[in-house]
Amino acid sequence: MTTDAVPPGVDPTIPSAGRLYDYYLGGTEHFEVDRRAAELVRMAAPELEDAAWANRGFLQRSAKWLAAEAGIRQFIDIGAGLPTRNNTHEAAQAGASDVRTVYFDNDPMVIAHARSLIVDTPHTIFLSGDLRDPDAILNDPALRDHLDLSQPVALMLVAVCHFIADEDDPQRLIGRYMSEFASGSYLALSHGTTEKTSPVIAEQVREIYEKATEQLHLRSKAEIANLFTGLELVSPYDGAEPGLTHIGLWGADDPEAADSDGSRWAFCGVARKP
């Protein structure tokens, strides 16, 4: 990408968490500064590319399950990132064709490209919003026009909460969102972890993200579980007890085969609001 393609509000001299993720997934919406940062990440932790794909698989399998098995017809995806194939709305519509989806992101490059790609996509809109400002998102007139919040929704927070600092209190933020939603709503969340990672490598990756638009806050399994407080976690795959699992395993036909090094960089879960 050249500077001629830089949307207003985008600084091409600072790595972007969203563009780094796009690079890991083989996308094209990134700059030289992103590629350099991503290659440093790759040298420190080559399995993070696998982690990105495992996370993408969790998003797709959970969205389809929520539509096909849980009967959810309304999705809110916050921190959606740059569009790639089989996004939330496509995965969910594979489970039920009448699904309605609202995406939010605070990155102007994401917003510019996403809106151009969904112009002719039914039941799907992309809005500007920051996870850390739930009142602005929940009261956005376009969201309220597109969805009926008196009916269950699925809140998709996929690989976004590890960019929320402790002082912004991700548990409080999630609680605020879920308090607005009807009983029978769901939260699908994935979050980077330090549990199965060398502390030295985790610190190297964190330091690379210190120079990016969003900083990385990896958390323990117990801290990630706290983000589901008040919700009922579902079983992540056949034969498993309800709870968290690594991102490659959720919804996997063969969890043992899906248990890769990359998958262990994050925990995920899907939970229902009673």
Side-chain angles (χ1 to χ4, degrees):
M1 177 175 290
T2 67
T3 53
D4 294 337
V6 180
V10 174
D11 186 344
T13 67
I14 300 176
S16 155
R19 296 195 303 267
L20 286 170
Y21 189 57
D22 181 66
Y23 183 81
Y24 303 148
L25 293 174
T28 59
E29 306 301 326
H30 38 72
F31 302 108
E32 179 60 28
V33 68
D34 305 302
R35 294 188 283 275
R36 288 199 301 267
E39 287 305 321
L40 290 174
V41 170
R42 194 196 301 273
M43 285 192 295
E47 67 273 15
L48 273 178
E49 185 171 320
D50 174 50
W53 284 106
N55 184 69
R56 192 73 183 167
F58 163 68
L59 180 148
Q60 294 163 350
R61 293 190 299 273
S62 62
K64 184 176 180 180
W65 181 88
L66 285 162
E69 303 298 329
I72 300 297
R73 295 296 181 269
Q74 304 185 113
F75 285 73
I76 302 175
D77 185 334
I78 305 178
L82 285 156
T84 58
R85 287 177 295 177
N86 204 11
N87 254 4
T88 296
H89 70 281
E90 296 166 307
Q93 286 173 3
S97 61
D98 57 341
V99 161
R100 304 180 72 83
T101 303
V102 180
Y103 291 104
F104 283 95
D105 205 284
N106 63 354
D107 186 325
M109 186 164 171
V110 169
I111 296 164
H113 285 274
R115 285 178 173 166
S116 67
L117 289 174
I118 64 169
V119 168
D120 298 319
T121 303
H123 310 313
T124 306
I125 60 174
F126 209 113
L127 304 174
S128 175
D130 191 312
L131 175 62
R132 290 163 288 209
D133 192 354
D135 290 339
I137 285 181
L138 291 167
N139 294 312
D140 190 305
L143 168 71
R144 295 282 178 165
D145 286 344
H146 196 69
L147 303 182
D148 177 2
L149 296 190
S150 70
Q151 299 299 311
V153 303
L155 176 63
M156 310 294 290
L157 300 180
V158 178
V160 63
C161 288
H162 52 229
F163 295 114
I164 304 297
D166 288 345
E167 52 263 36
D168 289 316
D169 197 348
Q171 183 178 341
R172 176 189 62 82
L173 292 173
I174 292 170
R176 172 70 184 95
Y177 284 103
M178 297 307 297
S179 71
E180 195 77 14
F181 301 148
S183 174
S185 293
Y186 283 83
L187 168 66
L189 179 148
S190 63
H191 193 300
T193 186
T194 55
E195 295 255 327
K196 300 290 185 180
T197 306
S198 157
V200 173
I201 294 175
E203 181 60 19
Q204 289 175 338
V205 172
R206 190 196 65 77
E207 287 179 354
I208 296 167
Y209 274 87
E210 279 290 318
K211 300 178 179 66
T213 55
E214 301 288 352
Q215 284 67 61
L216 193 60
H217 305 276
L218 301 175
R219 294 184 169 96
S220 68
K221 184 178 183 180
E223 290 172 317
I224 297 168
N226 285 339
L227 302 179
F228 292 90
T229 297
L231 306 175
E232 301 170 343
L233 282 157
V234 304
S235 173
Y237 52 85
D238 288 345
E241 293 295 321
L244 301 183
T245 191
H246 290 301
I247 46 177
L249 279 64
W250 203 99
D253 293 330
D254 186 346
E256 185 174 344
D259 188 20
S260 65
D261 289 341
S263 172
R264 296 175 192 174
W265 267 87
F267 284 106
C268 66
V270 175
R272 182 182 183 275
K273 178 179 178 179

